[in-house]
Amino acid sequence: MAFNDDSFIREVNEELRSDQMKGAVRRFGRYVIAIAVLIVLGTIGKVAYEYWDNTRSSGAGDQFLAAMKLADENKTDEALAALDKLEKEGHGAYPVLARMRAATVQSQKGDNAGAIASFEAIAKDKSVPAAVQDAAKMRAGWLLIENGTYEQVSAAVEEMAVPGNAFRHSAREALGLAAYKAGNMAQARQWFQSIVDDVDSPRNVANRAHMMLDLITASGKAPAAQG
């Protein structure tokens, strides 16, 4: 992959940790308990639930970090086994994060076809948060640059290469690289130019787009647009 393999997982991990882990606990605050004994019982129950919830979340987090450590040590089979267990038994956001990480480990192991299929399955899973679905689409798209066709990359990510989409910069870069790899310099130029023209494009992405535009111009296969 042309960028950090774990960038999207880290972003999604932070978002889900901050937004979802305590959702069940917060709902207790919506009820007004009129009778004192119920207030006492409710408080005890809330504290007990928070302790149970936090303990489970902490345990799942430790398991996730342990699995990532195994993957970093190239113990891919052990990492996949640990992630599979976390997916089935984990708490909060960790099961879906385990699915994402497992797909990355598949790619790390050399099973790019399996990794693409795993990311695509996550992208189609309506029970998964939309941000994670989009991240999975992007990961599949980037793997398809080297392991598929331009049409496959387009099917995976082009719907995100639109103004206002948080993933548009990466989607456009993936599409540009896929078009360049396919020898379609005119199409590649359009995608890289769309990155350069977007004032919100991250500097590193824009710099790479400028470099690719220079390469395309030097190839003589797609003349620069006349201003």
Side-chain angles (χ1 to χ4, degrees), residues 185-186 189 213 216-226:
M185 299 302 169
R189 174 177 289 285
L213 288 171
I216 292 168
T217 299
S219 75
K221 297 180 180 179
Q226 298 299 313

Side-chain angles (χ1 to χ4, degrees), residues 13 29 47 109 124 127 133 138 150 200:
N13 192 2
V47 171
K109 190 178 179 181
K124 295 174 183 177
S127 69
Q133 286 183 285
M138 282 305 314
Y150 174 81
D200 293 322

Side-chain angles (χ1 to χ4, degrees), residues 115-139:
I116 291 167
S118 295
F119 282 124
E120 289 177 339
I122 297 170
K124 295 174 183 177
D125 188 344
K126 299 302 182 183
S127 69
V128 172
V132 183
Q133 286 183 285
D134 285 348
K137 291 176 188 177
M138 282 305 314
R139 290 291 284 112

Side-chain angles (χ1 to χ4, degrees), residues 21 152 178 195:
M21 287 299 182
Q152 288 175 305
I195 294 172

Side-chain angles (χ1 to χ4, degrees), residues 37 68 105 116 157 167 170 176 180 193 211:
V37 64
M68 290 183 67
V105 174
I116 291 167
V157 306
F167 288 94
S170 292
Y180 185 88
Q193 191 64 50
M211 180 186 71

